[in-house]
Amino acid sequence: MTKLRRMVLDVLKTHEPKLTDLAVKLCSVEGIDGVNVTVYEIDKSTENIKITIEGFNLDYDAIKAIIESMNGVIHSIDEVAAGKKLIDEVKTPQDRY
């Protein structure tokens, strides 16, 4: 059975809890090897962030539950990767624009 290896999520969350707390909590999920959290926009009460998660056999429902328990909502799943190895996106001429 093919396992989910990478997931990139667009998330909106309140300022509290801190991003560091969210990242550490996500890393506690079985199968997650690493988490990157990048802030794209901040306003008075929220942060728009991108969360990149890598591991083996990622559990979307467990990840979603943690994000929601920490005052976040997933806007979209922007990327997924599955299989025996991770494949990086390849730039094509259409990506120039």
Side-chain angles (χ1 to χ4, degrees):
M1 181 175 168
T2 301
K3 306 293 186 186
L4 189 60
R5 302 278 310 263
R6 177 190 300 139
M7 193 180 325
V8 179
L9 306 171
D10 178 16
V11 173
L12 181 70
K13 68 173 279 308
T14 58
H15 293 303
E16 291 295 329
K18 295 182 252 179
L19 296 176
T20 52
D21 296 336
L22 174 60
V24 169
K25 183 81 170 184
L26 286 168
C27 283
S28 72
V29 175
E30 185 174 337
I32 292 181
D33 293 330
V35 173
N36 286 353
V37 180
T38 305
V39 177
Y40 279 97
E41 189 174 5
I42 297 177
D43 69 16
K44 184 177 178 182
S45 58
T46 61
E47 302 167 332
N48 189 8
I49 60 176
K50 177 176 79 171
I51 302 176
T52 303
I53 301 169
E54 289 191 1
F56 186 73
N57 198 20
L58 299 178
D59 182 348
Y60 175 77
D61 292 330
I63 292 165
K64 180 180 177 189
I66 287 174
I67 291 169
E68 289 176 350
S69 75
M70 299 189 82
N71 301 324
V73 61
I74 297 173
H75 280 175
S76 62
I77 301 172
D78 292 347
E79 179 184 345
V80 293
K84 293 179 182 177
K85 70 177 203 169
L86 296 175
I87 300 170
D88 292 324
E89 185 176 351
V90 176
K91 297 289 183 185
T92 62
Q94 294 89 339
D95 294 324
R96 291 182 288 169
Y97 305 104

